[in-house]
């Protein structure tokens, strides 16, 4: 699959399900104390008021939570429908349309970048390019937070909430992701692995790495 193919399929999938998705996961962060602890640690590492991008922000829930922790954060997403919800629900925050693989940011512009389950549609052969772009926009010493589901086989979502769209959710192994991040010029800071909650089917990983 080419870069254009997977970006198009991802955008179409989330455009179709945006309203249902936002309603279904409206209070998701509230029910995940360990995830909130990871966000708090990330915010402390980055520092209050420092510029952060929430890459693949969806309806903006993580963006808003990071802002509540004192970060100067904006959201970016491929899906116009998701961005419309994010802007509607968070009128005081900035949200932009764009691709994580080609960020419209100068080199070293950010103190922090978050990819909270947003790299899970990127084919494995394009992860090095994705991580190189993350490194480019981070200042030296900046931090990256990357979350994903753990596993070896993708999970295909077909016709969610009755919408005629299909998308694969790619699961990863933390060791492999750590190797790719190290090769891209990042140094490990923390690795959090938690067991699945009742509404989850697999373990979840959150990695914090620092740009060298």
């Amino acid at each position: 699959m080419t870069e254009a193919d997977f970006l198009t399929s991802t955008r179409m999938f989330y455009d179709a399900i945006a309203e249902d998705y936002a309603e279904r996961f409206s209070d998701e962060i509230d029910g995940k104390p360990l995830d909130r602890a990871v966000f708090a640690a990330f915010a402390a590492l980055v520092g209050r008021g420092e510029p952060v991008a929430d890459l693949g922000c969806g309806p903006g829930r993580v963006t808003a939570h990071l802002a509540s922790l004192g970060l100067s954060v904006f959201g970016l997403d491929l899906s116009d429908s998701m961005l419309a919800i994010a802007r509607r629900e968070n009128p005081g925050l900035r949200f932009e349309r764009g691709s994580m693989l080609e960020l419209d940011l100068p080199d070293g512009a950010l103190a922090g970048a978050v990819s909270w389950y947003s790299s899970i549609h990127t084919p494995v052969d394009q992860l090095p390019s994705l991580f190189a772009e993350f490194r480019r926009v981070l200042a030296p010493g900046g931090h990256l937070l990357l979350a994903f589901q753990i596993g070896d086989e993708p999970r295909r979502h077909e016709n969610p909430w009755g919408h005629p769209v299909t998308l694969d959710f790619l699961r990863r192994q933390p060791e492999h992701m750590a190797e790719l991040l190290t090769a891209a010029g990042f140094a490990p800071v923390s690795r959090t692995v938690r067991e699945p909650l009742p509404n989850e089917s697999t373990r979840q990983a959150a990695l914090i790495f620092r740009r060298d």
Side-chain angles (χ1 to χ4, degrees):
M1 180 182 293
T2 68
E3 176 181 327
D5 289 338
F6 93 81
L7 292 176
T8 298
S9 60
T10 301
R11 176 182 53 78
M12 292 177 63
F13 182 88
Y14 284 104
D15 276 345
I17 70 167
E19 292 291 346
D20 290 299
Y21 179 97
E23 181 178 355
R24 170 66 177 79
F25 299 109
S26 61
D27 58 353
E28 185 178 26
I29 295 175
D30 295 339
K32 296 181 176 180
L34 295 179
D35 289 1
R36 294 199 306 274
V38 170
F39 289 134
F42 174 78
L45 288 166
V46 172
R48 291 183 63 86
E50 293 296 327
V52 172
D54 179 14
L55 303 172
C57 65
R61 306 285 159 66
V62 169
T63 320
H65 186 73
L66 294 171
S68 76
L69 297 175
L71 299 177
S72 177
V73 60
F74 75 94
L76 177 139
D77 205 271
L78 283 172
S79 167
D80 287 322
S81 297
M82 284 290 194
L83 290 169
I85 296 168
R87 291 166 180 148
R88 182 181 73 209
E89 295 188 354
N90 307 282
L93 296 178
R94 176 165 62 99
F95 295 94
E96 300 179 357
R97 187 179 187 278
S99 166
M100 296 188 298
L101 283 159
E102 294 182 2
L103 295 168
D104 187 17
L105 291 167
D107 295 357
L110 301 175
V114 176
S115 176
W116 194 254
Y117 294 90
S118 57
S119 68
I120 62 174
H121 308 302
T122 303
V124 65
D125 63 342
Q126 297 195 41
L127 288 176
S129 295
L130 179 66
F131 294 161
E133 183 69 347
F134 289 170
R135 186 181 187 278
R136 182 187 69 79
V137 298
L138 282 168
H143 288 83
L144 168 69
L145 170 57
L146 180 75
F148 51 92
Q149 298 163 332
I150 298 174
D152 297 308
E153 298 297 328
R155 181 176 182 183
R156 173 160 292 187
H157 287 258
E158 298 180 298
N159 302 314
W161 296 291
H163 298 287
V165 289
T166 299
L167 192 64
D168 286 338
F169 287 57
L170 305 174
R171 295 169 175 176
R172 322 283 195 185
Q173 290 296 335
E175 296 78 10
H176 183 225
M177 298 295 269
E179 289 173 0
L180 292 175
L181 287 167
T182 301
F186 289 91
V189 175
S190 74
R191 182 185 307 187
T192 302
V193 173
R194 65 167 177 80
E195 296 302 310
L197 297 173
N199 64 339
E200 297 171 338
S201 59
T202 186
R203 293 185 302 154
Q204 314 289 311
L207 309 182
I208 298 177
F209 273 63
R210 182 182 63 255
R211 183 205 188 279
D212 288 341

